[in-house]
Amino acid sequence: MNTGIGSLSPREVPAADMDKMLDFRTVHEAKAGARWQALFEYHWPAYEQWYLSEGERERPGYLACYNALRRHMPELLDTYRALCDLAGGGDLAARFLSLYQPPPYITGCSQAVLANPASTVLARNYDYPPELCEGTILYTHWNERRVIAMSDCLWGVLDGMNDRGLAVSLAFGGRKAVGVGFGAPIILRYLLEFCDSVPEAAEVLARVPTHMAYNITVADAAGRYVTAMIGPDRRASIRRVPVATNHQKKIEWYAHALASETLIRERQLSILVDDEATTEERLIAAFSAPPLFRHDYRRGLGTVYTAVYRPRTGRAEFHWPGMTLDLSFDDFPEERITVRYGTRGLHSG
């Protein structure tokens, strides 16, 4: 097992205090076709460079990728084949799209569930280098469930929700372990495509292998929630915990914990969700202020966006300072928002 992750971001982040810009796009395409193909063609050069960053021999061959999907997530195979065809049918693209043993990458992130008899909300901040974020909010109906999700690796999921009332979000688990398994974004895609409830999702999270440590928070329309602490070197720990940041039970990677302020953020969220007076509005507002909202874009640990999912009503919100996208399965306009990130703050327009 390789445990040699040595940096705090997936690749070298420029030290210059230059503003960074990211376009967020909402894309509605029920069945994968020309729009997904255009996304692939646009992002593939950067993804190809990343996928080969450790050398092609470090990535598994096509048959290993295909067989891993067939063994662990067979229901995804039809969608996977369709996307591979749209991507041109090439060997390298097919291996990449499997998300089986991709290069390791590290994020920040804070996420929390607030559930009561009247409503359930899953809110999260995604902390990552903006220049490495895809920025696509994708509405699909590839299988039996409609899905709205922030996309990663072109069909993986950073966070999202399906029309059966299941919402999911991922955060890096704060451990250096790297092993044999899938990148978490494709596991989250699998959850949203084929699970309706937290118990169903928990069963998947307990059995599908992951290549790195992640904290996956899941909530459903019935008010149930769990956080699964998964990794390649130990059994998944799945508990009824509404809060997750970037460590698993205890600190194991002290440099990352200090840089990401994982304990401070966890404490802030725990105080909020444990307080009976905390409303949805108060929780969501907390994600827009320190310590949850972070401006450390220079080290790749700044907040790129805030996502809010309401599984009972099927509504998804994406927040930036001065800008909110309010989306649903019945109201999903296609638009583009440009966000500027820099040392002087974050601006959208």
Side-chain angles (χ1 to χ4, degrees), residues 85-320:
D85 287 345
L86 287 170
D91 173 79
L92 192 63
R95 292 156 65 189
F96 160 76
L97 287 170
S98 75
L99 270 73
Y100 182 61
Q101 291 181 240
Y105 52 96
I106 302 164
T107 65
C109 309
S110 309
Q111 53 206 33
V113 177
L114 189 64
N116 57 55
S119 65
T120 301
V121 62
L122 170 60
R124 71 96 106 255
N125 274 359
Y126 184 65
D127 302 341
Y128 199 62
E131 67 273 23
L132 304 182
C133 185
E134 190 174 309
T136 304
I137 304 169
L138 194 58
Y139 181 169
T140 59
H141 195 176
W142 289 340
N143 294 285
E144 295 181 1
R145 293 155 186 82
R146 294 177 292 167
V147 174
I148 294 173
M150 184 67 76
S151 178
D152 186 54
C153 295
L154 293 162
W155 72 309
V157 170
L158 298 174
D159 47 76
M161 176 179 62
N162 67 24
D163 63 357
R164 307 293 176 88
L166 185 71
V168 300
S169 176
L170 68 81
F172 174 56
R175 301 176 55 240
K176 293 185 178 183
V178 178
V180 176
F182 293 93
I186 197 171
I187 300 174
L188 267 63
R189 169 61 67 180
Y190 185 49
L191 297 178
L192 293 180
E193 294 291 332
F194 300 105
C195 295
D196 295 345
S197 67
V198 163
E200 291 177 8
E203 186 276 330
V204 169
L205 291 167
R207 67 172 176 80
V208 176
T210 175
H211 78 131
M212 289 182 66
Y214 298 98
N215 298 330
I216 313 296
T217 300
V218 186
D220 65 23
R224 293 169 293 204
Y225 59 84
V226 296
T227 292
M229 296 181 177
I230 62 177
D233 57 342
R234 60 181 64 166
R235 294 181 62 181
S237 172
I238 302 175
R239 300 182 297 160
R240 192 174 183 271
V241 174
V243 167
T245 52
N246 302 122
H247 60 280
Q248 295 183 330
K249 297 183 180 179
K250 63 180 182 179
I251 300 299
E252 297 186 47
W253 187 359
Y254 288 92
H256 183 271
L258 182 63
S260 67
E261 299 180 322
T262 181
L263 288 174
I264 296 171
R265 291 182 288 117
E266 181 190 49
R267 176 172 173 77
Q268 173 77 359
L269 285 173
S270 296
I271 290 171
L272 282 168
V273 299
D274 289 343
D275 185 350
E276 293 183 357
T278 296
T279 62
E280 292 181 4
E281 292 73 20
R282 180 185 176 194
L283 177 67
I284 295 166
F287 279 92
S288 299
L292 300 180
F293 194 99
R294 312 191 70 224
H295 292 91
D296 195 359
Y297 300 106
R298 184 174 180 178
R299 288 194 294 176
L301 293 169
T303 299
V304 179
Y305 65 88
T306 301
V308 178
Y309 296 97
R310 304 176 190 274
R312 294 193 186 188
T313 60
R315 304 203 69 84
E317 301 168 11
F318 298 89
H319 296 258
W320 304 267

